Amino acid sequence: GAGVSQSPSNKVTEKGKDVELRCDPISGHTALYWYRQRLGQGLEFLIYFQGNSAPDKSGLPSDRFSAERTGESVSTLTIQRTQQEDSAVYLCASSLDRPLVSNQPQHFGDGTRLSIL
Amino acid sequence: AQSVSQHNHHVILSEAASLELGCNYSYGGTVNLFWYVQYPGQHLQLLLKYFSGDPLVKGIKGFEAEFIKSKFSFNLRKPSVQWSDTAEYFCAVQGAQKLVFGQGTRLTINP
C-alpha cells in the first residue's frame, strides 16, 4: 500500500513568492500533521488536522502560513511571501486516529525540501 | 509545554560496540514515546514506540528502549551496532496530539 505522499519533493523559489506544498495521507487516516525541519534543528510542529474538527494551528509561525484539508484527504500547506528563514524540509504525517486514543503512530512522507533564494 | 532533550549530538562507535542514546522529556501528562531513525537520504522511520505496559520495548533491527517514568527518560539501546546503523536518531514525545522531537543524534559507525 502507498505511504504518505508529498509533492513536490524539492522546491526552489525566490523570496517573496508564494508556495504550495501538497500532502496525500495514507487512505483512511483521519489525522494529518505538518512539521518542518530546519537545518540542524529538530522537527517543529506546524498544524494538525483531525477529521472534521477545527485544526490545531498553534504551531504556525506566522500569518503567512496556512493549511487546508478537505475531509480526510489531501492537505495543502501554503506559505505566502516566502522569506529565506522559511527554507526547511516540510514533513507531512498521518495516523489512523487520535494518537492517545488509538495508539497509532504517525507515518511520515519523504518531505518537501524548500529553498528560498 | 512539552520538550525533549537528546544529550548526544554526535556519537561515533566501532562496529560491535554497544549503544545507548539518551532521551529526556518534560511533560506533565500522559505521553507516548517514540524513537525514529533517518538513514541518509531517506525519510523518518519508526524504530520503536512506547504507549503503556512493559516499559522495556523492543523495536526493529535489534533496538530497544526503556521508559523510566521517575527519570522522564526513554533511552535507546542496542547491544552490538553495525555499520548500517549509521543514521540520525530522533526521540519524540507525544502528548495532547502534538508530537515533539528532540534535536536528533547523529550516529556514525566505523567499520
Side-chain angles (χ1 to χ4, degrees), chain A residues 33 35 37 40-43 45 48 56 58-59 91 98-100 103-111, chain B residues 30-32 34 36 38 42-44 46 49 51-52 90 94-104:
Chain A
Y33 304 75
Y35 300 87
Q37 185 175 21
Q41 299 187 20
L43 288 180
F45 166 77
Y48 163 65
D56 177 356
S58 61
L91 285 160
R98 294 179 188 273
L100 289 177
N103 293 350
Q104 294 294 327
Q106 298 182 17
H107 299 262
F108 284 82
D110 287 345
Chain B
T30 301
V31 292
N32 295 338
F34 306 84
Y36 284 89
Q38 187 171 22
Q42 298 186 26
H43 60 81
L44 287 172
L46 180 66
K49 64 184 186 291
F51 287 88
S52 63
F90 294 90
Q94 190 162 42
Q97 283 96 33
K98 286 185 188 179
L99 184 66
V100 177
F101 282 78
Q103 295 281 68

Side-chain angles (χ1 to χ4, degrees), chain B residues 58-102:
Chain B
K58 295 192 183 297
I60 61 172
K61 306 187 181 187
F63 286 92
E64 65 179 32
E66 184 175 11
F67 171 48
I68 303 179
K69 190 174 182 179
S70 61
K71 295 184 179 180
F72 297 89
S73 70
F74 191 56
N75 293 354
L76 181 71
R77 300 194 292 247
K78 184 169 183 177
S80 177
V81 294
Q82 301 172 306
W83 177 79
S84 58
D85 293 325
T86 294
E88 187 123 12
Y89 292 80
F90 294 90
C91 178
V93 173
Q94 190 162 42
Q97 283 96 33
K98 286 185 188 179
L99 184 66
V100 177
F101 282 78

Side-chain angles (χ1 to χ4, degrees), chain A residues 36-48:
Chain A
R36 74 175 176 184
Q37 185 175 21
R38 292 176 176 174
L39 189 64
Q41 299 187 20
L43 288 180
E44 297 173 68
F45 166 77
L46 296 178
I47 188 169
Y48 163 65

Side-chain angles (χ1 to χ4, degrees), chain A residues 64-83:
Chain A
R64 296 186 294 105
F65 287 72
S66 62
E68 300 291 333
R69 187 184 187 194
T70 304
E72 296 179 356
S73 61
V74 172
S75 175
T76 54
L77 176 69
T78 301
I79 308 173
Q80 296 177 308
R81 305 181 302 281
T82 52
Q83 304 293 314

